[in-house]
Structure formats: structure tokens, C-alpha cells
Amino acid sequence: AGAKGTFYSFGKGPDPEGKLWDPYFDDPVFLEKFGNFLKAMALRYDGNPDIAFIDIGSYGLWGEGHTHMSSQVPKDREYPIICKHIDLHLKYFRKTLLCANDDFAGHDTPGARFPITDYALSKGLTLRDDSIMVQPPPRSWYHAEMAQAFWPSYPVVLEHEHFGGSKERGAWGDGSLLLKAVEDYHASHLSIHWWPHEFLKENRAIIDKINLRMGYRIQLRQIDLPKSVRMGEFFNVETRWANAGVAPCYSGGFFALTLKNAQGGIVSVLTDESFDMRELQVGSPGNAPVKILQSKFRIGLHGPTTKPGSCDVYISVGRRDGAPQIALPLPDDDGQRRYRIGKLNIKP
């Protein structure tokens, strides 16, 4: 369509005889055509509940935000170009989370703050770091410090190196570095970079450990529930909650009790809207801070299904209206992310 660019040789930079080609990433024709693509893509995927995040992968080799092995865009030109790509994505993707690659700031430049990632953060983007464990220790990754500005507000995304290649270079070790990366970045997502079944077979133990820490893990540590209550009268419930993961529960949620009769019908739904689970603090493994929540509930007198008798009590975390949303590590799930914790006798 007339977009200008440059030929290059892989690893050597611009080369008139090169077999590979990059556009000039700020070329008006290229940006116009790419904008048309993003517009069509956003119609399908922006706000799609099955999409957790979308990478800004339109700049650099492999979409990773670097050109040192390709057309070698001068460093002093990169900032305004990448900002244009960020803004173009934001024009069309207004609901779905967008990711900025750490290599926007330099693929091997350690540090916490850079103008381009500060710009991305100011625009509501999160951070993705590709190819953890390409190199053996001590530089198995470069930008854990950078992630500290992002993870308190947005879920950080990691991708590990090709598993086979990492093993061959001696960078993989026993796999424990992958768990350390999840801890250091406070990661919520981890992309698998190998044949999944082979990767799982050889790394099952470390994957099990990662699954207990990555993202958030809301735990009910204790609940003190009365054995009986009277209709129309307030009663107290004390619960203790913790987030055993490395990152906040970004979507948040509220604790609710659901009372069911002997036929499984819902008698009452009681929600405590005073505390959002997003506010649970994270800690080191085994040291998650515990939040003690004192809740006051009342079972109404005039509900059509509210009658005296014994009820099963279920606990859940979800919307303010009591609709469950978050899976909890508890037994006796009713299939709707409510978990049976005991019985309560309702007195007239």
C-alpha cells in the first residue's frame, strides 16, 4: 500500500541486501492500515469476557518491543513511536486490559522507572515481560523492579523462555527460578513457552507451587457463626480472610452467606458490603496478613421463603448483590461457587 520501511539482516541491522523487512513503525500509511485492523479487532474482542489482556505487539521483532536484532531503530526515536502505538490501541480498546512490553524500555537495561513505561502506566496499561530465563543466573530477568509500579494496580504478565532452549543453555536449573520470578514480579499470568504436555510432565512439582501463589488466592481462615438466630433480629458473624497469592484480587468481591432450606431453595442471601476483598494485602509465602471482619446480618421477617427451621449455610465471594464470582479453596461447592460451612437454626 506504499508504506515505507527498511530491509535488514537478522542480528546485523539495516542491510539493502537483507532478506527481511520492517516498516517504519511511524509511517502514516502503515499506521492508517494498522488502525483499520485494530478497529475491526476491537469490535470482536474489546470487552470480550474471555479475553484477559491484549498485548501491544505491533512494535519490534516478534512484537516484543525491541529492534536490536532487526531494523535497529535509534533509541532517541523510539519513545514517540511507541507512544503512537499505545495511543492507537487505546483509541479502540477501551474496556480490555492492554499490556506494554518491558522491552519498550530496552531489552537488557535493568531499572525501575523509564519514561515509556511511566507513560504506559499513566494510560492504564499493565506490564508484560517476555522470555524469563533466557540467560543463566544472575541475570535471569531484568525488569522485576519495573513491575513494582504496576502490580499494585494491574495484573502483571510473564512469559518464560522456550523450555528446551533454556535447559540447553543451563538457564533453567531445577525450575525454582520460575517460581522466584512469579514472586519477584507479583505475577498474575504466566504464558507457557513450550509443548504444554511435555512442559507439565517435567515441571509438575514447580507448577503446583506456582499455582498456589500466582495471582490471588482468597482464603477463608476461620468463621464464627451462631447456632441459631431469630428472624428480624441482628446477629454477628466473625470471619478471618487472607490472600495467599502474590497479587491483589483486582476484580474485588464481597463476602456473602446464603441460607438454603432442606429442599435446596434459597431462604436468604446476606452480603457484607463493608469490605472489598481487593483490599486484602499480600505477603511472603505462608505469611499473608489476616483480615478480621466483624459482620452484622439480619434475616428479614417477610421474605416469601423465609420460614423458621434448620438451614444449610453457604459462604461465597462475589458481587454486592450476593451473586458468587470467585472460586474458593473450600469443599462442598454447590456448583455455583457457594461452599457449605454448616447449619443455622432460624427461630420465629
Side-chain angles (χ1 to χ4, degrees):
K4 295 180 173 59
T6 181
F7 284 94
Y8 68 89
S9 293
F10 180 75
K12 298 179 180 179
D15 179 1
E17 305 301 320
K19 305 288 187 178
L20 305 171
W21 186 84
D22 264 356
Y24 294 146
F25 290 101
D26 58 351
D27 178 85
V29 175
F30 171 73
L31 290 178
E32 177 190 0
K33 301 298 183 183
F34 184 59
N36 292 339
F37 170 78
L38 287 178
K39 182 178 180 180
M41 183 180 172
L43 285 173
R44 179 175 292 187
Y45 295 113
D46 188 31
N48 186 318
D50 297 323
I51 306 298
F53 58 85
I54 291 177
D55 289 317
I56 293 183
S58 53
Y59 179 81
L61 187 62
W62 304 307
E64 289 189 344
H66 58 76
T67 61
H68 66 281
M69 298 293 286
S70 55
S71 55
Q72 296 181 353
V73 177
K75 287 290 184 184
D76 60 353
R77 292 190 58 227
E78 285 193 311
Y79 178 81
I81 295 175
I82 297 173
C83 286
K84 286 183 179 180
H85 282 247
I86 290 174
D87 292 344
L88 194 57
H89 282 74
L90 287 169
K91 180 179 179 180
Y92 298 109
F93 288 95
R94 300 177 181 179
K95 300 175 184 176
T96 299
L97 180 68
L98 296 171
C99 297
N101 201 291
D102 69 306
D103 286 353
F104 285 172
H107 75 287
D108 59 357
T109 307
R113 303 296 292 270
F114 296 86
I116 189 59
T117 49
D118 283 350
Y119 182 79
L121 181 60
S122 74
K123 294 292 184 176
L125 276 66
T126 193
L127 183 73
R128 176 187 177 103
D129 192 341
D130 282 352
S131 299
I132 296 294
M133 298 162 67
V134 169
Q135 304 173 67
R139 292 309 319 186
S140 299
W141 50 82
Y142 286 87
H143 291 136
E145 297 91 346
M146 185 188 293
Q148 306 314 304
F150 287 85
W151 75 259
S153 300
Y154 303 106
V156 170
V157 184
L158 294 182
E159 175 199 68
H160 63 72
E161 162 64 331
H162 294 85
F163 173 55
S166 185
K167 284 199 303 180
E168 289 175 3
R169 288 190 295 276
W172 193 264
D174 62 1
S176 59
L177 280 173
L178 191 60
L179 175 58
K180 186 177 187 306
V182 169
E183 296 282 350
D184 288 358
Y185 281 81
H186 293 263
S188 291
H189 300 280
L190 177 61
S191 297
I192 298 170
H193 214 168
W194 200 245
W195 313 116
H197 291 292
E198 181 179 332
F199 181 75
L200 177 62
K201 182 179 178 180
E202 295 194 36
N203 294 278
R204 185 70 205 222
I206 200 68
I207 290 171
D208 287 344
K209 291 180 180 179
I210 288 172
N211 283 340
L212 293 175
R213 285 291 286 166
M214 187 167 63
Y216 65 86
R217 187 171 178 81
I218 305 300
Q219 295 179 335
L220 173 67
R221 295 287 181 87
Q222 183 177 323
I223 180 168
D224 293 326
L225 188 72
K227 292 182 178 180
S228 63
V229 300
R230 291 192 180 277
M231 294 172 59
E233 295 183 2
F234 283 103
F235 63 96
N236 298 317
V237 175
E238 180 180 288
T239 51
R240 299 182 181 226
W241 299 90
N243 178 0
V246 299
C249 177
Y250 299 101
S251 61
F254 301 89
F255 139 60
L257 295 178
T258 299
L259 309 184
K260 294 186 181 184
N261 58 27
Q263 291 74 42
I266 292 179
V267 173
S268 185
V269 178
L270 309 167
T271 307
D272 185 340
E273 298 180 60
S274 69
F275 182 75
D276 190 335
M277 295 296 168
R278 193 189 197 288
E279 302 305 315
L280 287 173
Q281 301 298 303
V282 302
S284 58
N287 293 300
V290 174
K291 170 67 177 181
I292 301 175
L293 190 59
Q294 303 286 352
S295 306
K296 181 174 287 189
F297 298 121
R298 180 172 58 179
I299 299 172
L301 291 170
H302 305 297
T305 60
T306 307
K307 298 178 181 179
S310 179
C311 292
D312 288 317
V313 182
Y314 291 77
I315 197 164
S316 63
V317 174
R319 296 200 306 251
R320 290 178 182 270
D321 63 1
Q325 289 187 303
I326 295 175
L328 301 176
L330 294 172
D332 295 332
D333 183 359
D334 72 349
Q336 300 294 324
R337 295 182 174 177
R338 301 184 188 95
Y339 304 86
R340 185 181 178 278
I341 57 169
K343 285 187 174 291
L344 182 67
N345 185 42
I346 302 177
K347 296 181 177 181

